[in-house]
Amino acid sequence: MKQKTIDIVTLGCSKNLVDSERLMRQLEAVGYHVTHDSEHPQGEIAVINTCGFIGDAKEESINMILEFAQAKEEGRLQRLYVMGCLSERYLKELSVEIPQVDKFYGKFDWKNLLQDLGKDYNGQLHIERVITTPPHYAYLKISEGCDRSCAYCAIPIITGRHVSRPIEEILDEVRYLVTQGVKEFQVIAQELTYYGVDLYKKQTLPELIEQMADIPGVEWIRLHYAYPAHFPEGLFKVMRERLNVCKYLDIALQHISDNVLTRMQRHVTKVETFQLIERLREEVPGIHLRTTLMVGFPGETEEDFEELKEFVREARFDRMGAFAYSEEEGTYSAQHYQDDVPQEIKEKRLDELMAIQTGISAELGAAKIGKRLKVIIDRIEGDYYVGRSEFDSPEVDPEILIEREGTPRLQIGHFYPVMIVGAEDIDLYGRVVLESE
């Protein structure tokens, strides 16, 4: 057991990761050695940052807590702390069920952890973080919470109302991260398009992104988790005209059937959804759209699902994820609807939907052969350099593989012009374009 060492484990989304990175900076500033997601935790203290979004994520968080609780019982750990969404939602229940945990913190009071360690939170470091991603990219959280009332979603129950961060604070953080070597910014929020409504009385995302794009050293800005209703039109111009704003948008649509959309309380229709997709592609030529869809929502009929399949075929999303509905206690759908689609039907529909998208992704990937893309190199893996284009977000999207043999030495975190020479399943193959070509 290493004295003055704290192991931090982050579960769930990139928004959680940003909280962990902020905590790590505070802990390092007061003299702790901090590890993140270590394969072999050996510190005297462990902090688990939990997820409480859906059943599988909750189960993973609880299993991780129990694993560390056992280590404490066996004397391999002195203190165990838990923070994040799961403990925000089930603070009292967890305290009773897992008494080995020294203290549970919610989503927003993790700063109290420092006090419980006998240290003070340093407000002067509020924009600073220990980057746990490859150092050339970082996640940038611009708000917390959500004012949407989607029937299936527990996140507003956990995180509360939407709270935007002031523009100047965000820009200061971007400037700081640039000094740390960050070139690529994944802009994240529970709901991006609502940004600024609480602070500035209007949707202010276009202004924020435009000002970010003006900061020297910001090479790529990529937008995650937009909402389709009341989309801020000013964003079209910014995405089209600013070269360092990636032509990429992650916009969760969830479904296309008006029946299901109404039951989901999405406040958008099938026609409006198609109009938005068409407008995005017209206004921002070359844009790549990532979406997430849900199958098996209460009341989803075979006709609704057929409509969803046809939507996927017609929309031809560049990137798509899907998941089966999971009833979350406290949500509108849990209180008002019966979870009436059998689990085997949910899984069958999920497989069918993803099979359609797999074929589309293969076709869209093959269409890139012969095209030249700007690629950032993330890492070396075996015989390949592994990189991404502006159309690919880390962790979730396809990668571009470049054979090391016969390629001049490439630097991690640097950009190179790459010709796409092959496509296989999801990933693409490329070769670096020499200056003479």
Side-chain angles (χ1 to χ4, degrees):
M1 191 186 301
K2 293 183 180 176
Q3 298 289 312
K4 296 287 282 184
T5 294
I6 296 181
D7 294 308
I8 293 185
V9 177
T10 304
L11 302 166
C13 67
S14 50
K15 295 180 282 294
N16 265 12
L17 184 66
V18 172
D19 293 338
S20 291
E21 292 178 341
R22 287 184 175 143
L23 175 60
M24 289 171 70
R25 178 69 184 95
Q26 293 286 332
L27 292 169
E28 286 191 354
V30 293
Y32 284 100
H33 171 70
V34 187
T35 74
H36 184 259
D37 286 350
S38 171
E39 286 188 20
H40 305 288
Q42 293 180 322
E44 59 178 346
I45 300 170
V47 180
I48 303 173
N49 190 355
T50 58
C51 178
F53 180 36
I54 57 175
D56 288 349
K58 287 189 277 193
E59 185 178 347
E60 182 187 19
S61 291
I62 290 168
N63 288 341
M64 186 65 70
I65 297 168
L66 292 173
E67 190 178 314
F68 277 83
Q70 184 176 347
K72 190 182 174 196
E73 283 190 336
E74 293 170 358
R76 294 182 285 119
L77 182 68
Q78 284 187 8
R79 280 178 283 176
L80 174 59
Y81 299 106
V82 173
M83 60 185 274
C85 292
L86 188 77
S87 54
E88 175 76 33
R89 193 170 184 199
Y90 300 107
L91 196 65
K92 291 178 182 174
E93 296 92 329
L94 288 169
S95 301
V96 173
E97 293 291 330
I98 314 178
Q100 297 94 328
V101 175
D102 291 275
K103 191 165 180 181
F104 289 90
Y105 304 86
K107 173 78 175 154
F108 304 109
D109 64 347
W110 55 263
K111 296 172 187 177
N112 296 341
L113 171 57
L114 289 151
Q115 292 179 335
D116 292 330
L117 292 173
K119 309 294 182 181
D120 290 324
Y121 175 82
N122 186 340
Q124 292 182 317
L125 304 177
H126 74 289
I127 61 169
E128 297 189 17
R129 291 146 54 183
V130 173
I131 299 299
T132 59
T133 53
H136 51 275
Y137 73 79
Y139 293 96
L140 183 74
K141 183 161 55 171
I142 64 171
S143 65
E144 290 280 11
C146 186
D147 281 6
R148 307 294 185 183
S149 55
C150 302
Y152 51 83
C153 187
I155 285 171
I157 299 170
I158 299 169
T159 61
R161 298 296 300 270
H162 179 103
V163 179
S164 303
R165 295 176 62 198
I167 285 181
E168 273 312 315
E169 181 184 299
I170 295 170
L171 297 178
D172 284 345
E173 183 174 348
V174 172
R175 293 184 193 102
Y176 161 74
L177 290 169
V178 168
T179 68
Q180 303 303 298
V182 175
K183 303 174 181 181
E184 177 185 357
F185 292 83
Q186 323 296 339
V187 181
I188 56 173
Q190 196 53 52
E191 206 281 74
L192 273 186
T193 54
Y194 205 80
Y195 174 77
V197 171
D198 53 329
L199 280 183
Y200 309 111
K201 309 308 174 197
K202 65 170 187 168
Q203 291 169 295
T204 322
L205 186 64
E207 291 89 329
L208 171 65
I209 300 305
E210 195 158 35
Q211 291 184 54
M212 271 184 66
D214 285 337
I215 295 175
V218 175
E219 294 266 3
W220 275 352
I221 299 168
R222 193 176 287 104
L223 304 178
H224 288 274
Y225 320 126
Y227 189 88
H230 310 295
F231 191 85
E233 296 202 353
L235 201 57
F236 296 138
K237 184 173 186 288
V238 176
M239 294 184 78
R240 181 175 65 246
E241 296 183 358
R242 294 302 181 114
L243 295 179
N244 57 353
V245 179
C246 296
K247 289 182 170 55
Y248 177 105
L249 184 66
D250 188 337
I251 180 165
L253 298 174
Q254 306 299 359
H255 217 282
I256 197 61
S257 156
D258 282 328
N259 170 45
V260 179
L261 289 171
T262 300
R263 290 173 66 81
M264 285 181 167
Q265 299 184 345
R266 291 287 288 171
H267 307 293
V268 70
T269 65
K270 176 177 182 173
V271 169
E272 289 166 342
T273 301
F274 271 107
Q275 287 172 342
L276 177 59
I277 292 169
E278 185 179 358
R279 185 93 188 271
L280 280 162
R281 287 172 169 164
E282 280 179 2
E283 296 269 6
V284 190
I287 192 170
H288 280 46
L289 297 178
R290 161 172 274 282
T291 196
T292 308
L293 300 173
M294 184 192 298
V295 300
F297 188 76
E300 182 189 59
T301 64
E302 279 298 332
E303 290 76 15
D304 294 325
F305 179 60
E306 288 299 323
E307 207 172 330
L308 184 62
K309 288 197 295 184
E310 186 55 37
F311 173 54
V312 171
R313 291 188 192 102
E314 192 172 337
R316 291 178 67 80
F317 293 105
D318 303 275
R319 319 276 181 249
M320 192 195 90
F323 61 102
Y325 170 75
S326 166
E327 184 175 276
E328 293 301 311
E329 60 186 298
T331 59
Y332 183 91
S333 59
Q335 293 169 344
H336 295 86
Y337 302 145
Q338 184 180 348
D339 189 1
D340 58 358
V341 180
Q343 187 62 30
E344 60 269 24
I345 299 294
K346 290 179 185 176
E347 289 171 13
K348 179 175 176 288
R349 289 177 181 176
L350 184 61
D351 290 344
E352 278 187 55
L353 202 65
M354 288 312 299
I356 294 168
Q357 180 61 33
T358 299
I360 292 168
S361 296
E363 290 171 11
L364 294 175
K368 285 190 167 70
I369 295 173
K371 294 195 171 167
R372 183 166 160 167
L373 300 174
K374 179 181 177 182
V375 171
I376 193 165
I377 303 301
D378 279 339
R379 65 187 186 280
I380 295 171
E381 198 170 288
D383 297 330
Y384 294 94
Y385 292 104
V386 182
R388 292 172 292 106
S389 73
E390 69 173 295
F391 310 123
D392 311 308
S393 193
E395 307 289 337
V396 295
D397 287 333
E399 294 175 314
I400 296 170
L401 309 180
I402 301 162
E403 279 194 26
R404 292 170 66 189
E405 189 176 338
T407 299
R409 188 169 176 272
L410 307 182
Q411 289 184 272
I412 306 298
H414 284 236
F415 293 93
Y416 297 92
V418 171
M419 180 72 73
I420 303 304
V421 296
E424 184 180 283
D425 295 334
I426 296 170
D427 296 329
L428 302 175
Y429 291 85
R431 65 172 178 81
V432 174
V433 178
L434 302 175
E435 288 182 16
S436 57
E437 291 185 56

